Structure formats: structure tokens, C-alpha cells
Amino acid sequence: MDQLLPCVASLRLVDHHCHGVLGTDLDRDGFESNLTEAGSRSPLGTSLFDSSLGLAVRRWCAPLLDLPPLAPADEYLARRRSLGAAEVNRTLVSAAEISTFLVDRGTWPEGFAGPGTFTGSREHLVLRLERLAEDVVTEGATGFPARVREVLDSSPAVAAKSIAAYRVGLELDPARPSDADVVAAADRWLTSGSTRCADEVISRFLVWEALDRGLPVQFHVGYGDADLSLHKCDPLLLTDLLRATAPLGVPIMLLHNYPFHRNAGYLAQVFPHVFVDVGLATHAVAHQARRVLTEALEIVPFGKFLFSTDAFALAELYYLGAVFFRRALSDFLSAGLREHALAQADAERIAHLIGWENAQRAYRLE
Amino acid sequence: MDQLLPCVASLRLVDHHCHGVLGTDLDRDGFESNLTEAGSRSPLGTSLFDSSLGLAVRRWCAPLLDLPPLAPADEYLARRRSLGAAEVNRTLVSAAEISTFLVDRGTWPEGFAGPGTFTGSREHLVLRLERLAEDVVTEGATGFPARVREVLDSSPAVAAKSIAAYRVGLELDPARPSDADVVAAADRWLTSGSTRCADEVISRFLVWEALDRGLPVQFHVGYGDADLSLHKCDPLLLTDLLRATAPLGVPIMLLHNYPFHRNAGYLAQVFPHVFVDVGLATHAVAHQARRVLTEALEIVPFGKFLFSTDAFALAELYYLGAVFFRRALSDFLSAGLREHALAQADAERIAHLIGWENAQRAYRLE
Amino acid sequence: MDQLLPCVASLRLVDHHCHGVLGTDLDRDGFESNLTEAGSRSPLGTSLFDSSLGLAVRRWCAPLLDLPPLAPADEYLARRRSLGAAEVNRTLVSAAEISTFLVDRGTWPEGFAGPGTFTGSREHLVLRLERLAEDVVTEGATGFPARVREVLDSSPAVAAKSIAAYRVGLELDPARPSDADVVAAADRWLTSGSTRCADEVISRFLVWEALDRGLPVQFHVGYGDADLSLHKCDPLLLTDLLRATAPLGVPIMLLHNYPFHRNAGYLAQVFPHVFVDVGLATHAVAHQARRVLTEALEIVPFGKFLFSTDAFALAELYYLGAVFFRRALSDFLSAGLREHALAQADAERIAHLIGWENAQRAYRLE
């Protein structure tokens, strides 16, 4: 990392949104299916190693497994299997040099482990709101609101996470629903026979209840898998809800945001409680991350921007998320230094804000 | 400005859309609240000096107040107060080297002055349509259309300005409303007790009436304060109205446009009467203005692009709007020259078109 | 082309979407009207030679007509007329060095010729779906579905093209319409007296029927002339239809996509049958094509991206489409090589995928 600004190379990172690490070995199909939001390689396309992310795995992760940079995909995968998932996970997650993880445990298949397992780093819990609802709705509609509140009251989580984007889209009604509305919605849900929380009333009930308890709420925004309809995941669709919740003074974190990251930056500027990141996109666009990060930083105050990897399953994604974030941030600051748009002390202060201070302040981490 | 192309360094600038300059001194909170569209600093964030615009104030304005570049914010503000607003306004607005201002007087708090006051530059009036409506509606609904026409007929303004974006969004019905419709809308408005013009029928009535009189109409588009809902301010939502008004042959100016500046460029290419700018964004993104300007210039004919600052209240914003516009334009043209995409004479002609000729032609300035 | 990577300079190109070449000479107005999607120069603007595309004609095409680079527009046009359209078409289309053309014959005015005419290159037919419907609807509503199927069954086309974007927008209902629905729609159409296919039911009927026959369907997406409403041409509006058609396993090609090319890239990543390009934009943004191409390539797998010119009428557009595509692709790959994000063999493989292999595979070209 010789090109990195020293203040970025040694920057403490709080990853304010990530998932668990898969503990089992993967064949080529299994590995490739984690390089895309599609779920698997298309028979009409070619290998997913032919993508920004695929190249990045060969370029950056191969050397950590004692292979030359850009080693062929099959060699990389063979080496990965011969070392075994446990060793690979330890090596790659450690190399990310992330000091603190906020871990969304909402999707946690058999064999997943928190990234802190491999590094000794501190982990904080992010409570998935839809999962909470799915867990307690089965006990009946009538007591549903009370049971949601009870879980939230006793949860050790430092934040809640909403995947309304995947379930109902982000155009949420700004009004706090009444308990009667919520019970009616829960009743409809139970009657439908579905186990999946996909009701707009319940989505915003969950958000309001979390905010009421001072729990920052993370929203999945933008780019994600084919389950969502991306035009319903523009952060601007949250505008009315953001306006309604601003008086509570509890942070709302817009996650990922690609390709709507400029829209997200606008929201972070005009709403006092809105923070944003470009997690997921950072490793997905890989060596092109500088452009995405700098676009995102155009109008957002630097006190409102966070680091996250949104890494899921592959240890590679924690490492690449951190590598490309550091490189993009360093490039952004270096360019500013080069044209005298900022001073060395400014670069250092901005790096610290974005790397960890904003997360520490917004989530009240000790 | 040694890096600037000479033809840009000495370029005459017509600022086709700006506001008034605040004549009073400001404390730190007061100053910071003018560095954001949020209205004030968020207690959850940090200083707004930690933003692209905040850095730019310290970098570019401090030397004009005899401080070193990137002087600390508190030193800058102390120096600003010790010089006094009148001196600072004269210094900074003059340094913008803008020859002509088109000034929107729609929001004009106590103590505002036109920027020309500080430089002797020519000012032209831009008439705020909603303000006009608010002024004359109080005399009753029946005569409302006639009173609007009377004011427009006798106005010395060179353009009208619509803030439909803030009041009803940009998805305006393309049909010219009948007088009966307008009177009914005015009646509803008066009955509501509101003093604020926020009715779609009246918004488009005002636009049609201005265009009928050959008065170019400026629309606020895109980025603005938290009063607006940005997804209702995409310039593409004006498409039907643009199609309907094209036969009049009167210019429609899409202001600001960020982050929809590519969409605006498309409209300026396909509709004969549409012109665009990236005012407001130029100083907001500051040292990143080159990227925004070049994106905006991708498909818009150079004869349809204008300069504006959209500066409001702070003298800094006139200066920074001009500085970053000149730098971005120079960089755009220099890059073209470097790769032989254009010749020196082309660079000069394009600079003159964008700097002032397009404005002079579109507004028929003498 | 000394700056081009050798593997891109010599790259075989399959232009998977273009139109015909105009065989007649043009005066200045006629030529300029083909430099814009507006249909003609605006009396409120200036010459369309003052645009990215206009500069590119003078820079790149003038030398092929034995004029200096950036020769004045009038000299260029005079030289073009003196050589005559046939000679100019042969020179410029040949210089594009495109080996195979997929030609949309849906708009084919008197005097048009396929680009292969001038080069001996292979041409494949793209069948315009709306034109097919317009041709067969006149025989009556009842047999309309059968007649559409009959033409599709016997067509030598390698692909079908939908201009639903221009006629009804891209928010197509995902459901396959019943024959009864189609007959009713055809009946409404015939009753309306219009000769133009502009019915949502018929648009999606045509798409489903083409896909049923294994015929890849090209959609016009994004940027186009003033007939369309750009906000109804965001590729994300196709999401439901893409989800519904994915199981067929037949390619859907999203054409052009500007300024929604990042959205298109997302769709190409998450839907197995979706491919994308940035044709039309490549020559429209001209020397700025690198930025548009690299944005488009951020998250799309390289096995899902294609080359096209979308050239129409002017021979210049075939040449410029190829020139700026090669330059942008070379710049993208060179930047990757420079920062060791990819190896030489990767650059070559990616160039071949995008230049011709993806097209050959998706369209099953021999």
C-alpha cells in the first residue's frame, strides 16, 4: 500500500455494516455465486471472474494466499481449498485491519461466523427488524406490537436494520401507524400464510419503534440482488419519512446507495439525522471505487459519511472492501492535497471522521 | 489563476441567476448555516467547514481577506467580522469579476443588497412568479388572472423564475389552464388561509403567462433545501410542459439541475427552447466542479449552456461560484486541447458562448 | 491510433445495433439535423458543430476526407459534397473497421443502404417489432396474433427490436397477454385510425412472441429524440418484465441506456439474460466516452457488455462510434493495466468479449 497517505494507511476503521463469514470451502460455482448479486453465474454470460470484483480477488487476495498477483482463478480457488476456509478467513479478514464490526445477523446461514471471530476485533450487534417481526408474529397478531417493543427494549443491539427496500420498496408512508393498524397488518400477514415480513405498515412500525428507543436505523438502499426492484430503492423515496423522523434526532443510516449515491449525499446534507456510505459498491466496483466515493462526497458533509464493507460470506469481501475504501479515500484526499484544496491536517481530520469517528458518535460506541 | 486558459481567465461572465448579498455580520453558526441547504448545522454531524464548500471558503476566500490559504475557520470568521460585512462583500463580490447579474428578488430579507451594489456591475431583474402571485392574490380570486397579467406587462424584468419545484414539484400538467380554472384555484388558496402559493394550476398559469409575454422562464431544478422533495425535482418531469411550450420559441432555463444534470443536458439538446446550467452545484461541490461540469456538457450543445452562481447571502458564494466555474471550464477545454479534440479557436468560442453570449442571446440583453 | 492498446486497435468489432446509411448529399442544415436527437438546429441556439459530436466530426472525419483535423465545418461540408455521398460513405464506414453489422431496418427512408454495402462486411437483420405489427394489423384484428407469429416464424432476423420506449414507455406489464387481449388491443388500434403501433398490450405481446422463438430482443433504452419521455425510458422500469422473462433464457439487450447506464449495468449483473451497451452515447459524448464507458462497466460482468454504434444516416457516426468505443475501451483497460488491476491477458480477453465474443454467443452468430 505504498501509494496510500500515511493517515489513511494506518486509519482505524469501524465497519458499520457487514454480515457473517462462511466457514465452509467452496467449489468454483459456489465461489462465483458470491461474486454477484445474481445468485449464480449466467449460462449466457461468462465467468464472474471477468468482472471488476473478480479481477480484484485475483489481484489483491491471491498474494495473501502466497500466490502471485492476478494468479488464474482456478489456481486461486485450488489454493483457497487447500488452505481451508478457516485459515483463509483468518488471513483475509485480518488483512482488512478493521477494528470494529457492526454485524447484521438477519441472514445467518448454518456455518456463518462473525468477522470478529477471526481477528479478535470488537463486534456489535445490528438487529434485523424484519427478522424480529417474523420471529414474534407467529405468536399472534394481537400482542404483536407489544412483543416487538419488548424485544427492542431488551436488545443489546447498537442499531436496527430495515430491508424494506427488498420487501415493500422505500416509498414508505411517513405516518407512524397506530397499534390497531399494526395489529390489522399482522393479522393479514398471518392469514396470508407467508412467513415473510412484506407489509408496508409493519415496515414503518418497526422503523418508528427502533427510533423511539434511540436505536439508529440502517436502511438497505440501492443496489442489491434481483429480489428488489432498484427503482423502488432510490433513497429519495424515503424523503417524507426522513422529514417526519428528523425531530427524533436519532440517526438514520442509508447503506450502499449505489447508483443513487449522489441522491443519498443530498439527503445527508439536508436532513440532520441522515448518514450515508457506499458499502457494497466499494468492493463491487473495485479498482473504480475512487470515482464512486468522490461522487458520493461531493455535497455530503464529511461528518455524515461512514465506512462499511457490507461484506457477506466471502472473507475476500471484508479485505477488498477495506482495501478499496482506503485506496479511494486516499486518492480523494491526495487529489485535494495536490491542488491545495485542503491541508494535511484537514486530510487527517476528514480521514478520521469517515473512518471511525462518525460511526462512534452516531452509534454512541464507547 | 496561473493554470487557467487565458481565454477563460479573462472571460466575461454573465451570472444569469443569483440572489442578494447579506449586509450584516455573522457569527459562526450564522455563517455555517449558509454553507448548507439544511438551514443549520446538525448536532449529530460536525462543522460544515468539513465539507467541499467549507474547505473552499478557507482555501480561496481567506487570501482575499489577507489570511493564508486554508486559515482555520475561526480565524477566517474573526477576520471577516473585523473587516465588517460591507468591506468583505465588496472584496469578495468584486473578486468574482462578473460583469452582469440577473438577480432573483423573490427572497429578499432585510439587509440584502444586489451584488452589483458592490461592483458597479449591471443588474437585471428576475421576477419571482410565486411572489407575484402571493402579492396580488390577496385582492381576491376573481381579478387574479388579470392582475397577474398587469404586473407582467409592466415589469422591467428580463426573466421570470418559477419555484414550482419547492411548492408542487415539477410534474406540471402541460395544458394551459383556463381563467376559470385559475380563479377557482385562487379561491381555494384564499379559502385555505395560507399566504403561500402552492397550487399546481397557478404554478403553470404563471409559467404560461410569462412565456406568452416573451419572458424567459427560469425553473429551480434539482438540489435545494429540505423543503423540496428531490425526486419531484428531476427536470425530466417537465418533459410534457417543455413539449407543449416549445412552439412559443421563448427560452426555458433549467437552473442548477444537480444531480440530474445529465438529464437536463438531454432536454437542452432535444428541445429547441431549453437552456441549462449547473449553478449552486458549482460552489457546493467546489474543487470537484470539473466532473459535474463535464458531465453536464456531454450532450448539451454548447450554445445552450449558461453560467450562474445561484449565490445567496454570502459574498463568498459569488466568488467561489465564479472561481470554480472558471476552473472547471478551463479544465474541460484544456483537456480537449490536450487530446486535440478541439482547437484554440474552438476553446475560445465555446468559452464565450457559455460565459456570456448564450445569456445575452437568450435574454436579449443589450 | 498510436495510443490504443494493440489488442484494441486490431479488435474485431461486431456492431450489434445500427441503422442504414443515407445515400444522398446534404446541405449544412441537413447535416446538422443529424448531429442531434432534436431533429434540427434550434434558432435559439448556435450551430450543432458546437457540441461534443460536432467537434468530433471535424477532428476525426476531416482527415479521412483529406482535410486537416478540425477543419472548419463549412470546409468539411463542401469537401463532403464534392466527394459525393457514395465516396464519403465508403471511406468513413470502411474506416470504422467493423466486421459485422446487425441492422435495424425499422426506419429505412428512401435512399438508405446497409453499412455492409460499403465494406463488404456481413450484415444480419434486426426485425423492428412495431413495424411488423404496423404491417400486419391492417389485415384486421382477429388474425393479428397469428400473422405476427407467422412473420416471426419465417423471419431471417437474428434479433428483434422493440421501440416501446418511444411508444408507451418501458413500464411494461410483465404478464404475457392472452390472444383475446391482443385482438382487443388491435381492434382498438384499428378503430383509432392511427397507423402507429402505440399500445402497451401489443408492445409486450411482440416481445413475448419474439422471445418464445428464441429471438433475442433489443430494447431502445434511455436517450433518444424528443418523441420519447426520458423518465419513462429508465431501464429499471423493465424490471418486472425482465424477472418474468428470465426463465426463457433468451437474451434481452438494453441498448444505449445513457444516462441510465449504471442502472442498466445493475440489470445485466442480476438478470441472467440481460446484456447492455452504451451505443449512441459513445459518439454523442465523443471525446468524453471514456467516462461513460467506465461508469457502465463498474458492475456489469464483462461477459454481458456489447459494442454498438447505433449509427443512423451519417457515415460519420459509424466511424465515430467505432473510434470512440476503441479509445474508451483502450483507456479503460490501459488504466487497469497501469494500476495492475488486470494483466495483459485479461485485457485481451475482456476486449474480445466486449468487441465481438459476447455478441457472437448471445445472437448465436456463426
Side-chain angles (χ1 to χ4, degrees):
Chain A
M1 291 201 186
D2 53 357
Q3 313 154 278
L4 292 185
L5 285 181
C7 67
V8 175
S10 64
L11 181 62
R12 185 182 160 197
L13 291 180
V14 173
D15 182 350
H16 86 112
H17 184 80
C18 65
H19 301 266
V21 188
L22 182 63
T24 52
D25 289 329
L26 289 162
D27 62 11
R28 181 150 178 163
D29 278 353
F31 190 87
E32 288 203 29
S33 71
N34 282 293
L35 295 181
T36 169
E37 294 292 320
S40 69
R41 191 178 79 74
S42 165
L44 294 167
T46 58
S47 165
L48 290 163
F49 278 99
D50 278 334
S51 67
S52 300
L53 174 55
L55 291 171
V57 167
R58 291 170 45 224
R59 163 66 182 88
W60 289 95
C61 302
L64 294 183
L65 306 192
D66 295 321
L67 291 171
L70 293 166
D74 281 329
E75 281 181 35
Y76 179 81
L77 293 171
R79 176 79 182 149
R80 195 185 199 280
R81 278 189 303 270
S82 82
L83 290 167
E87 169 72 7
V88 167
N89 290 345
R90 194 160 39 243
T91 302
L92 294 174
V93 179
S94 298
E97 298 191 49
I98 293 169
S99 68
T100 306
F101 297 98
L102 274 63
V103 184
D104 170 5
R105 293 191 162 251
T107 302
W108 204 262
E110 182 79 20
F112 259 43
T117 313
F118 305 102
T119 62
S121 307
R122 182 70 189 270
E123 281 189 25
H124 297 282
L125 175 67
V126 177
L127 183 152
R128 178 82 68 87
L129 290 169
E130 289 76 9
R131 170 57 49 99
L132 157 58
E134 289 161 359
D135 285 347
V136 306
V137 78
T138 53
E139 297 168 48
T142 313
F144 176 74
R147 288 194 304 278
V148 165
R149 290 181 184 117
E150 203 178 326
V151 175
L152 287 172
D153 282 336
S154 63
S155 171
V158 300
K161 158 98 176 281
S162 167
I163 56 164
Y166 277 97
R167 302 299 174 84
V168 295
L170 292 178
E171 198 164 7
L172 300 177
D173 189 302
R176 180 197 292 267
S178 70
D179 275 21
D181 289 343
V182 175
V183 169
D187 194 56
R188 283 196 305 273
W189 176 9
L190 286 166
T191 305
S192 78
S194 169
T195 57
R196 219 157 160 265
C197 175
D199 181 283
E200 191 269 345
V201 173
I202 293 180
S203 282
R204 67 190 146 98
F205 166 70
L206 295 166
V207 169
W208 278 102
E209 291 297 322
L211 293 174
D212 278 344
R213 280 152 188 80
L215 213 52
V217 173
Q218 304 180 337
F219 276 97
H220 175 102
V221 180
Y223 178 43
D225 70 44
D227 264 7
L228 60 74
S229 291
L230 189 54
H231 54 306
K232 297 182 181 166
C233 301
D234 185 329
L236 297 180
L237 298 174
L238 283 171
T239 301
D240 288 340
L241 185 70
L242 297 177
R243 206 172 271 134
T245 55
L248 300 179
V250 179
I252 288 186
M253 328 305 278
L254 307 179
L255 305 175
H256 326 324
N257 295 301
Y258 181 92
F260 307 116
H261 41 288
R262 281 171 160 158
N263 298 3
Y266 161 78
L267 295 171
Q269 179 184 114
V270 301
F271 290 110
H273 61 323
V274 172
F275 292 73
V276 296
D277 74 25
V278 288
L280 176 54
T282 319
H283 64 250
V285 310
H287 70 287
Q288 306 205 63
R290 180 173 45 84
R291 183 172 51 247
V292 172
L293 183 78
T294 53
E295 288 176 0
L297 288 174
E298 279 166 354
I299 62 168
V300 63
F302 304 133
K304 296 291 216 70
F305 196 87
L306 303 176
F307 163 68
S308 82
T309 60
D310 194 40
F312 181 91
L314 297 186
E316 281 83 351
L317 304 183
Y318 301 83
Y319 177 55
L320 294 175
V323 162
F324 289 111
F325 176 78
R326 284 188 202 270
R327 289 170 61 88
L329 181 62
S330 181
D331 286 352
F332 171 74
L333 296 170
S334 295
L337 288 167
R338 212 158 39 235
E339 52 175 302
H340 307 294
L342 44 87
Q344 189 61 42
D346 299 317
E348 290 173 16
R349 192 179 59 258
I350 294 167
H352 285 271
L353 286 173
I354 294 177
W356 62 276
E357 284 186 26
N358 293 335
Q360 193 162 35
R361 184 176 66 255
Y363 294 104
R364 303 177 190 230
L365 306 178
E366 72 293 347
Chain B
M1 291 200 186
D2 52 357
Q3 313 153 278
L4 292 185
L5 285 181
C7 68
V8 175
S10 64
L11 182 62
R12 185 181 159 197
L13 291 181
V14 173
D15 181 351
H16 87 112
H17 183 80
C18 65
H19 301 267
V21 188
L22 182 63
T24 52
D25 289 329
L26 289 162
D27 62 11
R28 180 150 178 163
D29 278 353
F31 190 87
E32 288 203 29
S33 70
N34 282 294
L35 295 181
T36 169
E37 294 291 320
S40 69
R41 191 177 79 73
S42 165
L44 294 167
T46 59
S47 165
L48 290 163
F49 277 99
D50 278 334
S51 67
S52 300
L53 174 54
L55 291 171
V57 167
R58 291 170 45 223
R59 163 64 183 89
W60 289 95
C61 301
L64 295 184
L65 307 192
D66 294 322
L67 291 170
L70 293 165
D74 280 329
E75 281 181 35
Y76 179 80
L77 293 171
R79 175 79 182 151
R80 196 186 199 278
R81 279 189 301 271
S82 82
L83 291 168
E87 169 71 8
V88 167
N89 289 345
R90 193 160 40 244
T91 302
L92 293 174
V93 179
S94 298
E97 298 192 47
I98 293 169
S99 67
T100 306
F101 296 98
L102 274 63
V103 184
D104 171 5
R105 293 190 164 253
T107 302
W108 204 261
E110 182 77 22
F112 260 43
T117 313
F118 305 102
T119 63
S121 305
R122 182 70 190 270
E123 281 190 23
H124 297 281
L125 177 66
V126 176
L127 183 152
R128 178 81 67 87
L129 289 169
E130 289 76 7
R131 171 57 49 99
L132 156 59
E134 289 161 0
D135 285 347
V136 306
V137 78
T138 54
E139 295 168 50
T142 314
F144 176 73
R147 288 195 304 277
V148 165
R149 290 181 183 117
E150 202 177 326
V151 176
L152 287 171
D153 281 336
S154 64
S155 171
V158 300
K161 157 96 176 284
S162 168
I163 56 164
Y166 277 97
R167 303 298 174 84
V168 295
L170 292 179
E171 197 164 7
L172 300 177
D173 188 301
R176 181 197 290 268
S178 69
D179 274 22
D181 289 343
V182 175
V183 170
D187 194 55
R188 281 196 305 274
W189 176 9
L190 286 166
T191 307
S192 77
S194 168
T195 56
R196 221 159 158 262
C197 176
D199 182 283
E200 192 269 345
V201 173
I202 293 180
S203 282
R204 67 190 146 97
F205 166 70
L206 295 166
V207 169
W208 278 103
E209 291 298 322
L211 293 174
D212 278 344
R213 279 152 189 80
L215 214 51
V217 173
Q218 304 180 337
F219 276 97
H220 175 102
V221 180
Y223 178 43
D225 70 43
D227 263 8
L228 60 74
S229 292
L230 189 54
H231 54 306
K232 297 183 180 164
C233 301
D234 185 328
L236 297 180
L237 298 174
L238 283 170
T239 301
D240 288 340
L241 186 70
L242 297 176
R243 206 172 270 136
T245 55
L248 299 180
V250 180
I252 288 186
M253 328 305 277
L254 307 179
L255 304 175
H256 326 325
N257 294 301
Y258 181 91
F260 308 116
H261 41 289
R262 281 171 160 158
N263 298 3
Y266 160 78
L267 295 170
Q269 178 184 116
V270 301
F271 289 110
H273 60 324
V274 173
F275 292 72
V276 296
D277 73 26
V278 288
L280 177 54
T282 319
H283 65 250
V285 310
H287 70 287
Q288 306 205 63
R290 180 173 46 84
R291 183 173 51 247
V292 172
L293 184 78
T294 53
E295 288 175 0
L297 288 174
E298 280 166 353
I299 62 168
V300 62
F302 304 133
K304 297 292 216 71
F305 197 86
L306 303 176
F307 163 69
S308 81
T309 61
D310 194 40
F312 181 90
L314 296 186
E316 282 82 353
L317 304 183
Y318 300 83
Y319 177 56
L320 294 175
V323 162
F324 289 111
F325 176 78
R326 286 189 200 269
R327 288 170 62 89
L329 181 62
S330 181
D331 285 352
F332 171 74
L333 296 171
S334 295
L337 288 167
R338 213 160 38 236
E339 52 175 300
H340 307 294
L342 44 87
Q344 189 61 42
D346 299 318
E348 291 174 14
R349 192 179 60 258
I350 294 166
H352 285 270
L353 286 173
I354 293 177
W356 62 275
E357 284 185 26
N358 293 335
Q360 193 163 36
R361 183 176 66 256
Y363 293 105
R364 303 176 189 232
L365 306 178
E366 73 295 346
Chain C
M1 291 201 187
D2 51 358
Q3 313 153 277
L4 292 184
L5 285 181
C7 68
V8 175
S10 65
L11 182 62
R12 184 182 159 198
L13 292 180
V14 173
D15 182 350
H16 88 111
H17 183 80
C18 65
H19 301 267
V21 188
L22 182 64
T24 51
D25 289 329
L26 289 163
D27 62 10
R28 180 149 179 164
D29 278 354
F31 191 87
E32 288 203 29
S33 71
N34 281 294
L35 295 181
T36 170
E37 293 292 319
S40 68
R41 191 178 80 74
S42 165
L44 293 167
T46 59
S47 167
L48 290 164
F49 277 99
D50 278 335
S51 67
S52 299
L53 174 55
L55 291 171
V57 167
R58 291 171 45 224
R59 163 65 183 87
W60 289 95
C61 301
L64 294 184
L65 307 192
D66 295 321
L67 291 170
L70 293 166
D74 281 329
E75 281 181 34
Y76 179 80
L77 293 171
R79 175 80 183 150
R80 196 185 198 281
R81 278 189 303 270
S82 82
L83 291 168
E87 169 71 7
V88 166
N89 289 346
R90 194 160 38 244
T91 302
L92 294 174
V93 179
S94 299
E97 298 192 48
I98 293 169
S99 66
T100 306
F101 296 99
L102 274 63
V103 184
D104 170 4
R105 293 191 162 252
T107 302
W108 204 262
E110 183 78 19
F112 259 43
T117 313
F118 304 102
T119 62
S121 305
R122 183 71 189 269
E123 281 190 25
H124 296 281
L125 176 65
V126 176
L127 183 152
R128 177 82 69 87
L129 290 169
E130 289 75 9
R131 170 57 48 99
L132 157 57
E134 289 161 359
D135 286 348
V136 306
V137 78
T138 54
E139 296 167 49
T142 314
F144 176 74
R147 287 195 304 278
V148 165
R149 291 182 182 115
E150 202 177 328
V151 175
L152 287 172
D153 282 335
S154 63
S155 171
V158 300
K161 157 96 177 282
S162 167
I163 56 164
Y166 276 98
R167 303 298 174 84
V168 295
L170 291 179
E171 197 164 7
L172 299 178
D173 188 301
R176 180 198 290 269
S178 70
D179 275 22
D181 289 343
V182 176
V183 169
D187 194 55
R188 282 196 306 274
W189 177 8
L190 287 165
T191 307
S192 78
S194 169
T195 55
R196 221 158 158 264
C197 176
D199 182 284
E200 191 269 345
V201 173
I202 293 180
S203 282
R204 67 188 146 100
F205 166 70
L206 295 166
V207 169
W208 278 102
E209 291 298 323
L211 293 173
D212 278 344
R213 278 151 189 82
L215 214 52
V217 173
Q218 304 180 336
F219 276 97
H220 175 101
V221 179
Y223 178 42
D225 70 43
D227 262 9
L228 60 74
S229 292
L230 189 55
H231 54 306
K232 297 182 180 164
C233 301
D234 185 329
L236 298 180
L237 298 174
L238 283 170
T239 301
D240 288 340
L241 186 69
L242 297 176
R243 205 172 271 134
T245 55
L248 298 180
V250 180
I252 288 186
M253 328 305 277
L254 306 180
L255 304 174
H256 326 324
N257 295 303
Y258 181 92
F260 307 117
H261 41 288
R262 280 171 160 159
N263 298 2
Y266 161 78
L267 295 170
Q269 179 185 116
V270 301
F271 289 110
H273 60 323
V274 173
F275 292 73
V276 296
D277 74 25
V278 288
L280 176 54
T282 319
H283 65 250
V285 310
H287 70 287
Q288 306 206 64
R290 180 172 47 83
R291 183 172 52 247
V292 171
L293 183 79
T294 53
E295 288 175 0
L297 287 174
E298 279 166 355
I299 62 167
V300 64
F302 304 134
K304 297 292 216 70
F305 197 86
L306 303 176
F307 163 68
S308 82
T309 60
D310 194 40
F312 181 90
L314 296 186
E316 281 82 354
L317 304 183
Y318 300 84
Y319 177 56
L320 294 174
V323 162
F324 288 111
F325 175 78
R326 285 189 200 270
R327 289 169 62 88
L329 181 61
S330 180
D331 285 352
F332 171 75
L333 296 171
S334 295
L337 288 167
R338 212 158 40 234
E339 51 175 301
H340 307 294
L342 44 87
Q344 189 61 41
D346 299 318
E348 291 173 15
R349 192 179 60 259
I350 293 167
H352 285 271
L353 286 173
I354 294 177
W356 62 276
E357 284 185 26
N358 293 335
Q360 192 162 36
R361 184 177 65 256
Y363 293 105
R364 303 176 189 232
L365 305 178
E366 73 292 349

